[in-house]
Amino acid sequence: MFRHTKLLQFEAKPEKPDPVYAHKLQELIGGAFGEMTVTMQYLFQGWNCRIEGKYKDLIMDTATEEIGHVEMLATMVARLLEGAPATTTAEAVKDPVMAAMLGGMDVQQAIVAGGGALPADSNGTPWNGKYIVASGNLLADFRANAAAEAQGRLQTARLYNMTDDPGVKAMLKFNLARDTVHQKQWLGAIEELKADGLEDEIAPNALLDEEDQTHNKTIWHLSDGPDGAKGAGWTTGAGLEYLMDPEPLGGPGTAPKPDPALYGTYAPLQDAKGTAKGKAKQVKNKLT
């Protein structure tokens, strides 16, 4: 059961309207690493968690907080859109809607949302449930959570530097702080999973004896950059070896003969070579 409290977790009052910035702020709502993503990611992780107690409670506490972050941002967007497009004008354009559009406003915020926020990113792309990670494996999920919070904090930091509005900056300072806490908590939770003996370094901690033992300790040098092997943290420190001149282990990646009903262009390899030579000879004869 969820119960809504009318008060915001933190204040969301801009000093003045700014429809252009409201457009930008949509990224923190409906972007791939926005608050809608972490909200649904944590909710489904919590609902799918098979262990009652501290891990599930942590997930659900954070999930519920993230719902409040969506509300804060949606409120801020609505307040940034106050008076737009009715009073947002550009000298070069008399029509206020066109002026707002040329100025960088998301016109769907006016046309579709009636001057409010949208479940979409800063390009107007609708939020997608495919953004979330909720696998049921807490080690894999917590690593994804730490990465999501890092990306979210990075985008918040960039948006922080795109405004001079003290009210907006105050809210973003709060958001930055919460993203810091959430990164720390997920990294700490990973270590606690290990300490509790529930997970280890590799997710999932299974089939380690079944995997190919020849290839579970080498990094393949497959780019022109020569310095990868200098990283002690992922070579000697991790018990791995840089294979500097790896050779292919498989044969040609040739697709099988297509189903005739699909009309794929096909010829056996030997005939294809002969056909190619024959066509080249025909072209040569025509030219001469």
Side-chain angles (χ1 to χ4, degrees):
M1 181 178 73
F2 291 87
R3 179 172 292 165
H4 179 252
T5 299
K6 289 185 178 181
L7 300 177
L8 298 174
Q9 185 183 14
F10 191 85
E11 193 56 85
K13 284 186 178 179
E15 188 175 85
K16 59 182 183 300
D18 186 344
V20 175
Y21 193 79
H23 190 175
K24 298 174 184 178
L25 206 57
Q26 281 287 156
E27 193 65 33
L28 298 188
I29 296 177
F33 300 103
E35 302 290 358
M36 287 184 64
T37 294
V38 288
T39 294
M40 299 308 296
Q41 180 157 308
Y42 302 161
L43 283 173
F44 276 91
Q45 286 179 8
W47 293 329
N48 292 342
C49 183
R50 300 308 200 267
I51 306 174
E52 294 295 335
K54 60 184 178 181
Y55 293 111
K56 185 164 186 171
D57 289 352
L58 174 66
I59 297 168
M60 293 305 296
D61 282 342
T62 313
T64 308
E65 178 182 354
E66 300 293 6
I67 299 174
H69 292 181
V70 177
E71 183 180 32
M72 286 164 50
L73 286 162
T75 302
M76 179 64 82
V77 165
R79 290 171 176 173
L80 285 167
L81 290 170
E82 183 181 1
T87 59
T88 302
T89 59
E91 291 186 8
V93 184
K94 293 182 178 180
D95 179 74
V97 176
M98 185 61 70
M101 183 173 65
L102 293 177
M105 177 187 171
D106 183 350
V107 293
Q108 286 217 342
Q109 289 175 327
I111 299 169
V112 177
L118 296 159
D121 66 14
S122 53
N123 280 330
T125 304
W127 182 81
N128 194 321
K130 288 290 187 181
Y131 295 153
I132 76 165
V133 176
S135 69
N137 181 285
L138 293 184
L139 177 59
D141 284 353
F142 289 175
R143 285 178 173 163
N145 295 352
E149 295 287 352
Q151 292 291 343
R153 192 177 193 281
L154 176 62
Q155 293 179 358
T156 301
R158 288 170 174 166
L159 279 159
Y160 180 82
N161 290 318
M162 293 181 187
T163 181
D164 295 322
D165 189 299
V168 176
K169 291 181 89 74
M171 186 195 72
L172 293 182
K173 286 180 182 180
F174 177 81
N175 289 357
L176 287 167
R178 300 311 297 163
D179 288 344
T180 297
V181 170
H182 294 161
Q183 285 188 55
K184 289 180 177 180
Q185 76 178 40
W186 296 127
L187 293 172
I190 289 169
E191 296 307 312
E192 189 136 342
L193 282 172
K194 298 175 186 176
D196 287 344
L198 294 172
E199 295 290 346
D200 205 339
E201 292 293 331
I202 304 300
N205 186 23
L207 303 179
L208 296 177
D209 294 332
E210 299 291 328
E211 67 187 29
D212 190 322
Q213 301 299 308
T214 303
H215 300 291
N216 64 2
K217 58 181 71 71
T218 56
I219 301 174
W220 288 28
H221 172 63
L222 293 172
S223 71
D224 290 338
D227 295 329
K230 295 179 181 178
W234 55 82
T235 53
T236 55
L240 301 177
E241 174 190 358
Y242 233 95
L243 195 60
M244 294 305 295
D245 191 22
E247 294 290 334
L249 302 177
T254 305
K257 180 180 179 179
D259 184 333
L262 298 180
Y263 307 107
T265 303
Y266 170 76
L269 189 59
Q270 185 176 359
D271 292 348
K273 288 183 178 179
T275 301
K277 288 179 181 179
K279 287 184 177 179
K281 187 175 181 180
Q282 290 177 9
V283 171
K284 184 177 179 182
N285 290 339
K286 286 182 178 180
L287 292 173
T288 54

